[in-house]
Each structure stands twice: as structure tokens, then as C-alpha cells.
Amino acid sequence: LYSFLQEYTRYVAIYLDIGGWQPHSVESIYANKYGDCKDLTTLMITMLRQTGIESYPALLLTRDRGTVITEFPSNQFNHMIAFVPLADDSLWLECTADYLAAGELPYTAEGCDVVVIRNLGGEIVRTPQSAARENLSQSNVYGKLDMYGTLEFTALFKAYGNQGNFYRSKFN
């Protein structure tokens, strides 16, 4: 379902009237094949629930915008993702990025206090934070300079974790 969402829809943020606060109808999102974070998350949660998978919207303030003051109830959020509780863990789905695998979060959503909106109220939960060793980039350049000043070289570049996600987003 997550792959379907990534391939079938595209992220478009248009905030007119109440559109910055309220998601559009699932029928409209599906028919138009686009939406903002609230729209795409709503569509993802609807699809998951139709297959019997429990899931909820989660409001967050991305790290590049600051941190949530959990003791101060107010609208401090600028993004929405999907939260899927599992038996031993949980799964987070970033529905606006078509370059992430299911369960991966962009660095701006890692280690954030979020409000998971459940049926009987909200709950503050922290998104997982990846370890530094999981977010690497490596460059190897091999070159040969001949006596005429001609340089021949080959390069190999590998990126993992958040580094890989960053570069994939640029080539997507």
C-alpha cells in the first residue's frame, strides 16, 4: 500500500481556505492523485484501515522548525505522518516522500515529539532517531595522471541512511 501511494500520488501543498488545517476527502485525493501531508496521510490511513491494519495520524513539528513544548497545549505542528502500532514496535510512514522505504523517516522527522491522534484522544510519542553510524556517505576517487597532463579518474560514491535519503530526494 505504501509503494502504491508513492507511485500513484504526488505531494502538492496548496493551502486555500481551511485547506491548511483540514484534509480533503479521500475520494478527492484518490481521484486527483495529489495532496499535501494531511491528505496523503489520510489516504494512507484509510487504505491501511480498509485492510484491517490499525493506524493513526501523527502531528509533528519538523526539526528544522524547532521542538514542541509538550507542557503547552497549542498548535505547534507543521507536518503529518502516519503511525502504525505493531505488537513489539511501531511503524512510521512519511507519506509525502516517494524516495523513502516504509518505516524510514527523513532526518527532519527523527527524534521529534509528535501527537498521535487516537480514537479517544491524543498521545505524545517520540519518533525514532537513527544512529550516526547508520547515516554515512563514502567517496572513493581513483586517478591517474600521465606525463602529458591528462587525468583519468573513476569515482565511487555510496550513501546510507539519511545521507542516502538526501541524495535520492535530489535525483528523484
Side-chain angles (χ1 to χ4, degrees), residues 1 11 13 19 37 49 97 110 117 132 134-135 153 156 158 166-167 170:
L1 291 175
Y11 172 70
C37 62
R49 288 180 179 174
E110 287 187 351
I117 303 168
E134 298 169 338
N135 303 299
F153 71 92
L156 176 64
K158 295 180 182 178
F166 172 79
Y167 289 109
K170 299 304 177 198

Side-chain angles (χ1 to χ4, degrees), residues 13-24 36 38:
I14 302 172
Y15 304 114
L16 300 174
D17 298 324
I18 198 166
W21 301 98
Q22 179 179 342
H24 293 88
D36 65 9
K38 297 176 302 304

Side-chain angles (χ1 to χ4, degrees), residues 8-30:
Y8 184 79
T9 63
R10 66 185 190 284
Y11 172 70
V12 176
I14 302 172
Y15 304 114
L16 300 174
D17 298 324
I18 198 166
W21 301 98
Q22 179 179 342
H24 293 88
S25 71
V26 172
E27 294 82 10
S28 170
I29 300 162
Y30 184 80

Side-chain angles (χ1 to χ4, degrees), residues 58-91:
L59 298 172
L60 71 105
L61 178 66
T62 54
R63 286 181 10 187
D64 58 332
R65 298 291 179 96
T67 57
V68 171
I69 303 168
T70 57
E71 300 80 22
F72 186 62
S74 62
N75 181 14
Q76 304 175 54
F77 309 102
N78 69 338
H79 193 49
M80 183 185 281
I81 59 178
F83 171 73
V84 182
L86 303 173
D88 297 324
D89 199 2
S90 56
L91 179 67

Side-chain angles (χ1 to χ4, degrees), residues 64-168:
D64 58 332
R65 298 291 179 96
T67 57
V68 171
I69 303 168
T70 57
E71 300 80 22
F72 186 62
S74 62
N75 181 14
Q76 304 175 54
F77 309 102
N78 69 338
H79 193 49
M80 183 185 281
I81 59 178
F83 171 73
V84 182
L86 303 173
D88 297 324
D89 199 2
S90 56
L91 179 67
W92 298 91
L93 299 173
E94 167 56 78
C95 299
T96 64
D98 53 3
Y99 57 88
L100 292 175
E104 288 184 354
L105 289 173
Y107 72 94
T108 56
E110 287 187 351
C112 295
D113 288 323
V114 303
V115 176
V116 175
I117 303 168
R118 295 184 183 259
N119 297 339
L120 298 176
E123 172 188 11
I124 296 177
V125 177
R126 184 169 284 258
T127 58
Q129 176 80 43
S130 60
R133 68 181 174 278
E134 298 169 338
N135 303 299
L136 303 172
S137 61
Q138 175 185 5
S139 301
N140 296 321
V141 179
Y142 305 95
K144 180 171 68 172
L145 184 63
D146 68 17
M147 63 184 199
Y148 303 107
T150 303
L151 173 65
E152 292 182 22
F153 71 92
T154 59
L156 176 64
F157 179 76
K158 295 180 182 178
Y160 307 93
N162 288 329
Q163 292 291 317
N165 293 338
F166 172 79
Y167 289 109
R168 277 197 302 277

